[in-house]
Amino acid sequence: MDQHPKDALMVWAGTLLGGAGGWYGSSRIAAAYALPLGAWGPLVGGLIGAMAGSALTKKILSDPGAIPQIATDEA
């Protein structure tokens, strides 16, 4: 479990966005090829997207050079 609340919130957001993208993407790809997905296709696409979204978000947050830090002068 991540002990930093900001990082944990970012991972949750990445998971949710990945899941929504996987659900939408699998439906669109299946519609483009006229393939029936049934009820399980978008669900599996959403799960795969959620796993990919969380893994990518964790990788981005763990890399110190991926997100530029804005230096502020606090006097």
Side-chain angles (χ1 to χ4, degrees):
M1 173 96 183
D2 195 1
Q3 297 297 320
H4 302 287
K6 184 181 79 172
D7 290 349
L9 183 63
M10 293 293 290
V11 170
W12 273 105
T15 302
L16 289 175
L17 289 174
W23 171 78
Y24 182 73
S26 64
S27 299
R28 295 291 295 174
I29 289 172
Y33 290 112
L35 297 173
L37 286 180
W40 291 102
L43 180 67
V44 171
L47 290 174
I48 292 172
M51 289 188 306
S54 66
L56 182 63
T57 306
K58 285 180 187 178
K59 185 171 182 149
I60 289 172
L61 288 174
S62 67
D63 185 15
I67 302 172
Q69 299 294 328
I70 299 173
T72 58
D73 293 330
E74 294 181 13

